[in-house]
Amino acid sequence: MASPRKFTAAAVPTREAVFDAAATLFSAKGFDGTSMDDIARRAGVNKAMIYYHFADKLTLYRSVVGEMLQHMTGTVTAIAAAEGPAPGKLDRFIDAFVRMTETRPWFPTLMLREISEGAPHLDLETLQRLRTVVLTFARILDEGHTAGVFRKVHPILAYLSVVGPLIFNAARERVAAQPGRQDQDLPMLVSIPHDDLIAHVQETARRMLAP
């Protein structure tokens, strides 16, 4: 049986560089539009180093998506399990989602592209993580309904109503960030502070769920 790989101090930064390069390129060009050569060039490494850390492009892609979903499931699960009323948990869920787009700005665009194509590159484990996020959101709604502070709504429709605008806004910010577009007077490119975005979506969600 092959012995497990041991990561040296030099190997770990190389893995991070490959991961970051892949995340950026997959978001911008999609799975099919990104080659391992593209990733190697952006990461500044030999292509052989990519295969040292990841078996193939699909494994790398699923690692990128899976890492984000693992982070998000951990965050929202902790929010749902914490003490306190459901409206406060909903507020923290929305805040966490927006903050996620700050640390991983590539993720919303990547997921929009993947879902629009029918999620052909996501395995069952990755889809289960996405399911956990939605079910945890539904748990918060159910707590609120039981407490009489939320009306009964379809959890999927509520999730799309809350998360959809956040994902679209993050994708819109990627458009606005393209070189030469900052000075163009177009509604699509208007800068919206994230604190304002969070407050707006929180208020919208409260109104939607009001009994």
Side-chain angles (χ1 to χ4, degrees), residues 98-120:
V98 174
R99 302 309 175 192
M100 174 270 293
T101 68
E102 295 174 347
T103 58
R104 297 166 175 82
W106 44 265
F107 190 74
T109 307
L110 188 155
M111 286 304 294
L112 281 173
R113 185 190 299 272
E114 179 68 23
I115 291 172
S116 69
E117 294 176 355

Side-chain angles (χ1 to χ4, degrees), residues 186-203:
L186 296 173
M188 186 70 173
L189 307 182
V190 172
S191 176
I192 300 174
H194 281 183
D195 287 346
D196 292 348
L197 172 67
I198 291 168
H200 172 77
V201 176
Q202 288 171 340
E203 176 65 19

Side-chain angles (χ1 to χ4, degrees), residues 169-188:
N169 184 72
R172 183 191 65 82
E173 289 179 339
R174 296 290 300 276
V175 175
Q178 297 301 311
R181 293 182 175 175
Q182 288 73 22
D183 296 329
Q184 298 181 30
D185 185 20
L186 296 173
M188 186 70 173

Side-chain angles (χ1 to χ4, degrees), residues 41-72:
R41 280 193 295 270
R42 186 175 184 91
V45 302
N46 187 292
K47 189 164 66 171
M49 288 301 298
I50 300 180
Y51 292 110
Y52 176 80
H53 296 290
F54 303 97
D56 51 37
K57 187 172 76 167
L58 183 59
T59 301
L60 174 53
Y61 183 87
R62 288 175 175 172
S63 295
V64 168
V65 178
E67 184 275 340
M68 177 61 251
L69 290 176
Q70 183 176 19
H71 166 77
M72 197 63 189

